[in-house]
Amino acid sequence: MRWLLDIDRRIIFLLVLVLIVLATVLQDRIEFPIVSSSPVDGVYDAIDGLPAGSPVLLSMDYDPASQAELEPMNRAVLRHLFRKDLRITGMTHWPRGLNFVEQVVQSTAREFDDLSVEVRTFDSKKAATDHLALVKTKPDEAAKVKAQLATVNIGRERAEAPIQYEPRLYTLLDEVEKGLAAEPFEQGAKHHVLTVVERKPTKEYGKDYCYLGVRLGAAILIINMGQSLFDAFPADKYGTPTRELAGQGKVLEGVSKLGDFKYLMVVAAGISAEQWIIYGSQKYGFPMGVGCTAVMAPDLYPYLNSKQITGILGGAKGAWEYEAKIRVPDKATSRVPAQTMAHVLVILLVIFCNVAYLMVGRSKPPGAR
Amino acid sequence: MRGLSSHSRALGFGLGLGLGLALALALAPAARAAEPAPLPKPGWFKAFDTPNDAGQKISAEWAGAENERVEAKYVLSISTRKTGPFAEAFRGPSTTSLKVEDTATFGPWTGGDAKAHHVAVSPLATYRTQTLAALALDDGPKANATATVAMLLRLPKRLQWLHLFGKETLDRARRTLADAKVKRVADLEAEGVQDVEKDLAAIILDRPFYVTLEVVEGERREPVGDVQEARARDNAFNWKKLNNFLAMLFFGGAVLGMIRRARSNPDMYLRRIGGLEAVDEALGRATEMGKPVLFAHGLETMANISTIAAVNVLGEVTKRVAKFDTKMICVNNDPVVFAVSQETVKEAYLHAGRPDAYNADDVIFVAAEQFSYVAAVSGIMMRQQPAANIYMGYFYAESLLLAETGASTGAIQIAGTDSYTQLPFFITTCDYTLMGEELYAASAYLSRNPMLLGSLKGQDIGKAALMAIVLVGTLLSTVGIEWVTKLIEVYT
Amino acid sequence: MATLDVPEKKGAPSIGDILFYVVLFNLFLWGSLFAFLHEDGHDLRVNGVFNYEALGVLIATGVTLALYSFLYKDNPFFKAAENLYVGVGLGYELVLVWYSSIKPDLYKPLIRYAVRYELWQEGAIKGQPDFWLLIPLFLGLLLLSRFIPRLSWLSRWAFAFYVGFGAGASIPNVIASNVLQQLKYTLVPIPFDAGFLAAFNTVVILLGVVSVLLYFFFSIEHRGAVGIVSKVGVWFLMICFGASFGYTVMGRMALLVQRVDFLIHGWLRL
Amino acid sequence: MQFFKRTIPIAIALITGAWFAVQYYVPAGWSETSLTKASTWLKILAGFAFALGLYSLCHMHLLRIRRRVPGWGYSLLVYVGLLTALYFGMIGEVRKVFEIAVGPIDTSKGIAWLVFAGWHAFEPGGEGKGYVWLYDHVYNPAQATMFSILAFMIASAAYRTFRARTWEAAVLLVAAGLVMFGRVPLSGLVSDFFPSFADWIMANPQMAAKRGILLGVSLGSIATSLRIIFGIERAYLGGGD
């Protein structure tokens, strides 16, 4: 048993490496049971329970440095908000995040475009790939191949015959421009190549969502927003007066101050989450949820316990669970399984070495330090 | 005709007056009902230099009033002349800008009238340095016709500024700009002239400003009080940071006082610090094995206190190394730390009476960046197999990489860091670890210099005070006495 | 020359070592070939121009594998990658020093007036030289006095400024962020009315802070009551270190996943 | 001599230290300016110090090459990396100096092409791309790889050291195990208790100890600062009395 304790550390290195390589190679084939934790449920259920058309505020307070951790959850939450047809108002406290966050909002809104696609079905993957090459090189010839027209809306999880919606379509189609084709995909033993003929936006700026941009002031800004949104943000990022956005049938209809929002979601890399709680929800009373980096999460749990926030999405794990809940597997989903397996390995190693240690007995002098 | 006309006019006038009066009387109740609630009327209004700032702003303060509501706005206007013209500098709902909420300006000292309002406005937002520069540079006739037109268009503004600031201000601005060789306003954006804008700002701010307050709702407008005068000044003390200042005086006093006492009373009890006792053991082992000792500072620069403490430890360790006649390699990542370490090691050898043993190449600058440093130091560990590794300073992710590699070579490892995120890794992989504060105590402990030991005693007094504050403060705030928590707020 | 004189361990590499080198090298070689040859692989030319990106990916892969080979043992591949990386890292930092401090902070506001002013009397250079910068220039030159052993003590003046600034500026900042801020979070009322757990948590934090502080006391013996409380402090410290360690594992694994992701999708294009 | 070697530096440290300790409380414009100026000066000083570092590193490797120390060939690679990075990084500046001195140069052919190839080789018209390329394909991967080695190290450290040798070690082990297990996404399958208990540990006992450490550290650093300012601790000046 002694040797188990003095095991060459290179064996451990090898175990870790093999496991992660396997998990990465078999990424698509690994089905991971996901049990969402109650903090994540807290955010999801709160948003899911809102009636369509409720105004919500989304504060995205991070910058490219925390992008890897926060962008997946930001997108996941946005997708959920859009899918529920809520009226979304976006903003940020961070000047460095201004354009970056805007891009996240816009591209997510684009995912809800109605896509008219020509579906060309092939029997083999080879034929489909060849066709794709043809679309790239000789679009005219490619257009002559017989096709069926269908409408797809990935955001709303809708697709017409001959294809059926499945989550894979999301990553396949979300960046395909008009006139271009997506990579072939297999469904029911057939291989389909989808060529986008037209994109019809279904989410309209100013009506379904808006982006107020950035304003400095942190806590003071939040207090001002609690008094009057129009004074805190006289105009949105593009110069449209916010009063105009509050007109009939517009995104801010019936909203003039923070308390009028039905929900606040904060995706934050810094202290702004706490500021939103203390100066915002505590003072003006509205439910809110927080998404933050894994390091910050423990600091926020006391607020969850005291019910000042409905839930927390913490780091990659939170994003992963949320992606599962809204059935859109994205970046978090592709990385978390490998991470998890390596993590479990470490736990097993610790258990194993302690069992071995106890069996050898503590009386013997320790071997390798 | 004339008589008639005057007659009829008088008649018409009388009739009109009568009718109007009657109408007014008849409609009066209705009109009063349609009229919205009266505007808030603050009882007093004053202006003064904004405290705790760098002389950029002036403050206005006024009493809270009845009927304050979001629709009714307070409007502040400023001017450089008592008679105006005034320009609007602030507009906000009358329910906001309460003084008690303005901790950004006052820190904890917002007290007094709970309903009073406070707003700090920057004259530079109204009278912009760019405008001053434009006017100052535009001087003199222009041959170009378009320039003349442009000048004419700007004339009202120029006249207004001349009226507000006087010719002397423009002259001062002109001199400043000429000194900096600025010829066009766009030049102000150029590199090397950023300070000119500061100078222009100082020229604009160098005068009293006049402030008026009005209450505005829709078309209605009512002035509050008289025109007030204030001047923006550089403040000498930031009262928001008073608690910080007092804390510094207290801790500083405790440390310095104890150092003073230690001079007359050098015998002092000091608890054992295992990690430091182990230094001699490690050096002894290295001597026995004929292998070198490796000393690594963390990643921080020389301006970081942990690094300073690490260099102090380095000095003490080197003295011992010289005594033991062992070899030491000191690896660095920051060039300043590297140079300082070289000096420290050299002097320590000299101090130990072994200047011959000093070799400048023992202190090496191995790499300039975090992970190439890791790669290089790991390489040194694998190839030279030091018998002891000493890590002192502020570490980041490299801590575990170094310590785990060091452990695999079988070296005795002693670490000391105040970077609490890395402490877990040192604790688990090193033989001895100085946690947090112990790093700062290390040089005192090793040198046994009474003055340094005295400062440790001072630290203990500080800790005792902190413990007392925590315990008493929690007790007080639990029974509802809040002022202790106010005392420790941080304002910037 | 202590750092140079210690001879590196020399000896014939064992069979295992040779096997390892051969496997590693072949992995790189065949992997790269595969990466270029298979269907979705890299292209040699893109738009008729040599594909520098693909070449870059190969180099990146080489560096990655060579650095990982250190996990097996110190070896020639690692030594090569290490030294190359040290060189590139230093070069990169030097370029950074030039672009981010010497050029904008010293050359532009001070020296270029001396260098270029005469050439462009009416030229594009606006502003005045900032003569304050003569101080750091002077101190910097003092630093360079270290190249002359007899004058090297002059560099102490520069050290003194550097260290003095660090020491002075840190005091108030430490009080603000580490003393007051931490006290503020600790000094909360014990919420007896918010349920047992909330009150318990507050008491736990209070006990932890006080006992850890007591553990750090230098000038009193850790015996009797003090000994017991500081023992509790040690337990808190151990919980803290264990928990932080455990909490970090996941994040570190993510780094490796990212790297493996590069090898499999970026290099091999699977 | 003692005056120049010892007294002046201590006086400099005293004056700068004392002023920048007080500066924090002085909001006036000139006080802020002194802070920004001094931090810029520190940056410049660090820049000068880089010359010392560069010399040390180059000197060491040059010696290795000259003396043919075993493995001296690897030292050549340091120079290769250094010069490549410097070339790609500084070629633009060199070109500027050239253009100021001799007027515009045509870098599309001849010797000028050879010298300035790094400026445009990687993408026609893409100036300075070479530096980005080097960053993306050597510097960045090397950095990320060294960083990711942590994953292996953390696994082996956990295996080697997490043993219940003493009561303290057992506490550490249990805390680490609980938090690790609670952080695994799968722990929720077993029981909701684990993730929430892990969070509880992080938010309470862990937080408490962290605060205790931070408070102690701040006192230690204040004391060290004062010892520096008042010249009691002067190891950085070579120690001595």
Side-chain angles (χ1 to χ4, degrees):
Chain A
M1 288 305 281
R2 179 89 257 153
W3 64 273
L4 269 178
L5 291 177
D6 302 336
I7 196 173
D8 193 329
R9 55 188 208 138
R10 286 176 284 192
I11 294 176
I12 295 167
F13 295 163
L14 193 68
L15 278 176
V16 174
L17 186 69
V18 166
L19 195 72
I20 288 192
V21 169
L22 276 181
T24 311
V25 173
L26 303 176
Q27 213 175 61
D28 304 334
R29 289 182 216 169
I30 300 174
E31 282 286 326
F32 239 64
I34 298 176
V35 179
S36 53
S37 48
S38 61
V40 175
D41 287 344
V43 175
Y44 181 87
D45 294 343
I47 292 177
D48 215 55
L50 292 173
S54 313
V56 291
L57 181 66
L58 179 62
S59 185
M60 296 162 281
D61 309 324
Y62 63 98
D63 64 359
S66 347
Q67 170 186 7
E69 225 176 337
L70 295 182
E71 198 205 306
M73 76 170 64
N74 190 358
R75 275 186 196 278
V77 169
L78 258 174
R79 282 168 183 152
H80 192 203
L81 296 175
F82 272 122
R83 192 182 287 170
K84 291 287 298 176
D85 287 322
L86 304 173
R87 288 184 280 144
I88 304 164
T89 304
M91 62 167 284
T92 178
H93 275 112
W94 288 36
R96 271 179 303 164
L98 174 66
N99 297 316
F100 169 74
V101 162
E102 174 188 18
Q103 196 264 329
V104 172
V105 175
Q106 284 175 343
S107 62
T108 312
R110 247 171 70 94
E111 291 170 2
F112 286 79
D113 290 356
D114 271 333
L115 299 179
S116 303
V117 293
E118 291 174 348
V119 186
R120 293 182 175 82
T121 307
F122 303 92
D123 290 330
S124 71
K125 190 179 178 203
K126 179 87 175 61
T129 323
D130 287 347
H131 179 76
L132 187 68
L134 202 64
V135 176
K136 280 182 187 157
T137 49
K138 294 173 186 154
D140 299 340
E141 267 176 54
K144 287 176 194 152
V145 180
K146 191 168 144 302
Q148 270 177 290
L149 215 61
T151 307
V152 180
N153 190 320
I154 49 175
R156 297 181 191 280
E157 305 182 284
R158 279 202 306 250
E160 290 176 354
I163 47 173
Q164 278 168 342
Y165 179 81
E166 55 178 291
R168 263 192 303 153
L169 275 176
Y170 220 107
T171 33
L172 221 57
L173 279 174
D174 67 348
E175 276 167 8
V176 180
E177 290 299 327
K178 191 177 156 185
L180 292 177
E183 297 280 316
F185 84 108
E186 189 183 349
Q187 200 169 53
K190 297 279 184 195
H191 296 264
H192 305 282
V193 173
L194 310 182
T195 314
V196 177
V197 190
E198 203 180 353
R199 263 184 178 272
K200 228 184 284 159
T202 63
K203 293 289 178 190
E204 193 186 319
Y205 186 87
K207 192 163 158 281
D208 300 296
Y209 70 102
C210 69
Y211 181 52
L212 300 180
V214 67
R215 195 87 354 156
L216 297 178
I220 305 281
L221 174 71
I222 296 171
I223 293 172
N224 282 346
M225 289 176 75
Q227 297 284 347
S228 162
L229 189 66
F230 308 129
D231 283 312
F233 280 95
D236 71 355
K237 199 207 164 206
Y238 315 99
T240 318
T242 33
R243 275 180 201 286
E244 238 169 71
L245 290 173
Q248 204 171 11
K250 294 284 192 138
V251 58
L252 282 176
E253 185 187 349
V255 178
S256 66
K257 53 188 192 301
L258 273 186
D260 297 332
F261 284 108
K262 295 287 176 264
Y263 196 70
L264 165 69
M265 183 71 199
V266 182
V267 180
I271 53 157
S272 71
E274 265 181 291
Q275 290 175 336
W276 273 114
I277 297 169
I278 295 166
Y279 299 100
S281 73
Q282 222 170 64
K283 212 165 160 178
Y284 302 111
F286 46 83
M288 68 176 277
V290 175
C292 61
T293 54
V295 184
M296 273 176 58
D299 297 354
L300 292 171
Y301 276 98
Y303 296 110
L304 183 66
N305 294 337
S306 58
K307 305 242 171 4
Q308 281 164 294
I309 49 182
T310 67
I312 297 175
L313 311 183
K317 186 187 159 208
W320 178 59
E321 288 175 23
Y322 213 91
E323 283 181 3
K325 290 203 93 114
I326 61 164
R327 299 174 300 277
V328 182
D330 200 358
K331 282 183 196 130
T333 310
S334 67
R335 288 205 178 139
V336 166
Q339 259 164 266
T340 309
M341 286 165 73
H343 197 164
V344 171
L345 175 73
V346 174
I347 296 173
L348 292 178
L349 284 174
V350 171
I351 295 174
F352 180 75
C353 89
N354 272 285
V355 170
Y357 182 70
L358 289 177
M359 284 171 74
V360 171
R362 293 168 55 179
S363 54
K364 289 189 182 176
R369 271 180 309 99
Chain B
M1 276 311 277
R2 201 172 167 188
L4 181 72
S5 92
S6 81
H7 244 98
S8 65
R9 215 189 283 164
L11 189 71
F13 182 72
L15 214 70
L17 196 72
L19 262 175
L21 215 69
L23 205 71
L25 277 173
L27 292 178
R32 211 171 287 149
E35 185 179 292
L39 288 175
K41 271 204 170 71
W44 50 269
F45 162 58
K46 62 182 182 187
F48 49 92
D49 167 43
T50 302
N52 308 328
D53 81 337
Q56 300 280 308
K57 287 180 173 176
I58 45 181
S59 280
E61 207 171 306
W62 62 95
E66 298 286 313
N67 297 319
E68 285 181 346
R69 52 189 179 266
V70 173
E71 294 74 28
K73 316 276 181 193
Y74 285 124
V75 174
L76 281 175
S77 306
I78 63 169
S79 173
T80 60
R81 295 173 72 100
K82 197 163 187 178
T83 47
F86 284 87
E88 183 173 319
F90 166 83
R91 175 185 286 258
S94 55
T95 50
T96 59
S97 62
L98 288 180
K99 189 182 177 189
V100 285
E101 280 179 356
D102 195 358
T103 50
T105 306
F106 295 100
W109 325 109
T110 58
D113 187 350
K115 291 171 82 184
H117 296 267
H118 174 270
V119 165
V121 293
S122 166
L124 290 174
T126 309
Y127 306 111
R128 289 153 41 86
T129 50
Q130 301 265 340
T131 318
L132 178 62
L135 295 172
L137 291 169
D138 235 353
D139 212 30
K142 286 264 161 63
N144 195 317
T146 50
T148 317
V149 173
M151 233 183 82
L152 281 174
L153 287 175
R154 250 185 243 151
L155 205 58
K157 186 142 215 178
R158 163 176 293 275
L159 288 176
Q160 194 193 39
W161 269 68
L162 270 176
H163 174 66
L164 283 170
F165 286 89
K167 189 167 174 333
E168 173 255 356
T169 303
L170 283 186
D171 285 342
R172 272 175 74 187
R174 207 169 293 134
R175 278 196 300 274
T176 307
L177 291 165
D179 280 349
K181 300 187 205 67
V182 171
K183 301 215 168 54
R184 283 165 299 141
V185 181
D187 289 346
L188 283 177
E189 306 288 320
E191 287 169 290
V193 290
Q194 276 92 355
D195 285 350
V196 176
E197 286 222 57
K198 269 191 206 156
D199 296 341
L200 291 179
I203 293 172
I204 291 176
L205 289 172
D206 184 21
R207 69 199 67 244
F209 287 89
Y210 296 88
V211 189
T212 63
L213 175 68
E214 287 164 302
V215 188
V216 177
E217 181 170 358
E219 295 299 307
R220 296 190 295 164
R221 222 180 162 91
E222 268 177 32
V224 178
D226 294 329
V227 176
Q228 300 287 325
E229 180 186 330
R231 217 181 153 104
R233 288 176 209 278
D234 269 341
N235 297 119
F237 190 81
N238 192 337
W239 291 97
K240 286 188 284 179
K241 297 173 176 170
L242 181 65
N243 55 359
N244 190 316
F245 186 66
L246 293 178
M248 178 172 84
L249 288 185
F250 174 75
F251 292 132
V255 170
L256 293 177
M258 282 298 131
I259 288 176
R260 221 182 137 76
R261 237 188 79 180
R263 265 200 257 180
S264 54
N265 181 17
D267 284 328
M268 197 177 278
Y269 172 80
L270 193 60
R271 84 165 153 92
R272 210 177 145 272
I273 301 178
L276 293 171
E277 299 286 329
V279 168
D280 282 337
E281 178 201 335
L283 296 185
R285 207 175 89 134
T287 318
E288 238 168 65
M289 296 169 75
K291 286 180 173 181
V293 177
L294 184 92
F295 190 101
H297 307 90
L299 278 195
E300 273 294 344
T301 65
M302 204 60 226
N304 186 294
I305 303 297
S306 328
T307 316
I308 297 177
V311 168
N312 295 337
V313 179
L314 173 68
E316 292 304 321
V317 169
T318 315
K319 281 179 199 163
R320 275 150 216 255
V321 164
K323 217 161 50 191
F324 278 96
D325 203 12
T326 320
K327 272 179 222 143
M328 186 180 68
I329 310 167
C330 173
V331 288
N332 296 276
N333 168 73
D334 181 276
V336 182
V337 179
F338 156 72
V340 172
S341 302
Q342 239 180 11
E343 185 73 9
T344 308
V345 169
K346 184 177 151 194
E347 287 291 318
Y349 272 111
L350 195 70
H351 190 84
R354 295 290 315 277
D356 53 305
Y358 167 71
N359 180 346
D361 288 332
D362 286 346
V363 183
I364 33 179
F365 181 76
V366 285
E369 173 266 351
Q370 186 181 14
F371 289 104
S372 56
Y373 172 75
V374 172
V377 176
S378 304
I380 290 177
M381 283 179 185
M382 298 302 276
R383 282 156 222 157
Q384 312 215 7
Q385 304 266 325
N389 300 330
I390 302 176
Y391 312 102
M392 294 280 159
Y394 203 93
F395 288 82
Y396 294 90
E398 71 279 5
S399 66
L400 182 62
L401 288 168
L402 295 180
E404 186 64 13
T405 308
S408 75
T409 65
I412 290 190
Q413 303 202 88
I414 303 171
T417 187
D418 56 337
S419 146
Y420 71 84
T421 51
Q422 302 306 323
L423 269 171
F425 305 116
F426 278 142
I427 292 272
T428 47
T429 50
C430 290
D431 303 76
Y432 301 95
T433 307
L434 306 179
M435 293 182 274
E437 202 183 350
E438 290 172 344
L439 167 67
Y440 296 108
S443 67
Y445 191 90
L446 288 173
S447 70
R448 297 276 161 179
N449 176 339
M451 297 220 286
L452 298 184
L453 293 178
S455 78
L456 293 188
K457 186 103 184 166
Q459 277 167 249
D460 281 356
I461 293 178
K463 268 175 290 198
L466 288 181
M467 281 163 67
I469 291 176
V470 167
L471 290 173
V472 175
T474 307
L475 198 72
L476 287 180
S477 66
T478 304
V479 298
I481 302 171
E482 291 286 338
W483 56 266
V484 192
T485 43
K486 281 237 159 121
L487 278 185
I488 51 172
E489 278 284 335
V490 183
Y491 300 96
T492 47
Chain C
M1 305 281 138
T3 45
L4 301 170
D5 288 348
V6 179
E8 293 179 25
K9 266 195 202 155
K10 271 268 168 185
S14 68
I15 306 220
D17 293 352
I18 293 174
L19 198 67
F20 175 74
Y21 301 148
V22 170
V23 167
L24 192 69
F25 182 73
N26 279 291
L27 176 70
F28 179 62
L29 185 72
W30 295 105
S32 302
L33 274 178
F34 170 76
F36 273 88
L37 293 178
H38 79 97
E39 209 176 325
D40 304 327
H42 300 280
D43 301 317
L44 263 181
R45 293 176 139 325
V46 171
N47 301 329
V49 185
F50 179 71
N51 189 353
Y52 282 101
E53 287 303 308
L55 177 70
V57 169
L58 281 196
I59 293 177
T61 307
V63 169
T64 305
L65 291 178
L67 287 176
Y68 276 145
S69 73
F70 171 70
L71 292 170
Y72 175 71
K73 68 184 287 187
D74 191 28
N75 67 71
F77 294 120
F78 173 72
K79 282 185 208 167
E82 172 212 324
N83 284 292
L84 184 72
Y85 179 27
V86 166
V88 172
L90 180 64
Y92 178 76
E93 289 292 323
L94 284 176
V95 172
L96 209 65
V97 163
W98 166 251
Y99 280 107
S100 73
S101 80
I102 300 292
K103 186 180 178 185
D105 294 336
L106 184 64
Y107 169 72
K108 282 198 166 175
L110 180 67
I111 299 173
R112 84 174 150 170
Y113 293 99
V115 180
R116 290 176 66 183
Y117 180 70
E118 289 305 319
L119 293 173
W120 279 268
Q121 278 286 356
E122 292 293 310
I125 306 172
K126 307 289 172 190
Q128 303 142 294
D130 179 0
F131 288 113
W132 282 104
L133 290 172
L134 288 174
I135 298 175
L137 185 65
F138 174 66
L139 290 175
L141 291 176
L142 289 186
L143 262 189
L144 297 187
S145 74
R146 295 200 65 77
F147 285 126
I148 311 161
R150 283 192 50 199
L151 292 181
S152 72
W153 54 269
L154 274 174
S155 59
R156 292 176 183 181
W157 295 17
F159 296 162
F161 176 75
Y162 210 103
V163 171
F165 175 88
S170 81
I171 298 178
N173 284 308
V174 160
I175 294 176
S177 63
N178 283 3
V179 178
L180 297 178
Q181 196 81 15
Q182 296 305 322
L183 281 182
K184 181 184 144 191
Y185 288 129
T186 315
L187 245 178
V188 288
I190 302 172
F192 286 116
D193 49 351
F196 170 74
L197 191 67
F200 177 69
N201 289 347
T202 315
V203 173
V204 164
I205 291 185
L206 196 65
L207 180 66
V209 171
V210 171
S211 61
V212 168
L213 271 178
L214 194 71
Y215 166 79
F216 281 120
F217 262 78
F218 294 113
S219 58
I220 48 172
E221 275 183 86
H222 289 186
R223 278 201 309 212
V226 177
I228 295 169
V229 179
S230 70
K231 191 86 188 157
V232 174
V234 173
W235 285 44
F236 265 100
L237 285 173
M238 289 302 139
I239 293 176
C240 170
F241 296 145
S244 310
F245 193 114
Y247 200 80
T248 324
V249 175
M250 189 74 143
R252 299 308 189 218
M253 291 303 162
L255 299 168
L256 183 57
V257 171
Q258 216 175 2
R259 222 49 223 138
V260 170
D261 199 64
F262 161 76
L263 287 179
I264 287 173
H265 297 121
W267 173 48
L268 294 176
R269 291 280 186 109
L270 280 182
Chain D
M1 215 48 200
Q2 201 60 11
F3 177 74
F4 289 105
K5 280 189 177 175
R6 189 80 71 208
T7 316
I8 287 193
I10 288 178
I12 293 177
L14 174 68
I15 293 167
T16 35
W19 164 244
F20 286 105
V22 176
Q23 185 279 332
Y24 181 85
Y25 309 102
V26 182
W30 48 268
S31 146
E32 290 294 322
T33 312
S34 77
L35 182 66
T36 38
K37 279 216 188 307
S39 0
T40 316
W41 296 357
L42 289 201
K43 261 169 74 190
I44 294 172
L45 268 184
F48 273 94
F50 252 99
L52 300 174
L54 180 70
Y55 172 78
S56 163
L57 194 69
C58 291
H59 178 70
M60 181 177 78
H61 286 285
L62 195 67
L63 276 186
R64 290 173 65 105
I65 296 170
R66 250 207 238 137
R67 298 188 183 178
R68 299 288 190 271
V69 175
W72 60 273
Y74 300 111
S75 291
L76 281 178
L77 279 171
V78 172
Y79 282 94
V80 171
L82 174 65
L83 294 176
T84 318
L86 281 181
Y87 170 73
F88 282 128
M90 301 304 287
I91 191 73
E93 299 289 276
V94 173
R95 183 189 162 122
K96 260 190 222 161
V97 172
F98 260 89
E99 296 206 327
I100 287 171
V102 300
I105 22 180
D106 176 15
T107 55
S108 62
K109 57 179 183 290
I111 294 178
W113 182 86
L114 267 182
V115 173
F116 293 102
W119 186 235
H120 51 72
F122 288 87
E123 201 174 293
E127 300 181 331
K129 278 277 155 61
Y131 188 59
V132 177
W133 184 88
L134 193 70
Y135 180 85
D136 284 350
H137 297 117
V138 179
Y139 184 80
N140 205 15
Q143 197 175 23
T145 305
M146 282 314 291
F147 198 7
S148 72
I149 284 182
L150 265 181
F152 298 107
M153 294 301 185
I154 213 167
S156 92
Y159 185 80
R160 282 194 316 106
T161 61
F162 280 4
R163 286 174 201 176
R165 282 196 201 108
T166 59
W167 281 108
E168 279 95 11
V171 171
L172 185 122
L173 167 70
V174 170
L178 282 173
V179 171
M180 263 197 272
F181 190 64
R183 290 273 294 155
V184 177
L186 301 175
S187 61
L189 282 176
V190 184
S191 158
D192 243 1
F193 168 77
F194 289 105
S196 51
F197 188 65
D199 291 332
W200 181 84
I201 292 183
M202 289 305 287
N204 296 291
Q206 194 269 144
M207 183 70 72
K210 185 175 122 182
R211 276 184 202 151
I213 295 174
L214 277 178
L215 286 173
V217 162
S218 45
L219 287 176
S221 85
I222 292 168
T224 307
S225 298
L226 287 170
R227 299 195 310 228
I228 293 287
I229 294 174
F230 290 101
I232 298 165
E233 182 113 69
R234 46 182 92 149
Y236 70 100
L237 299 177
D241 306 302

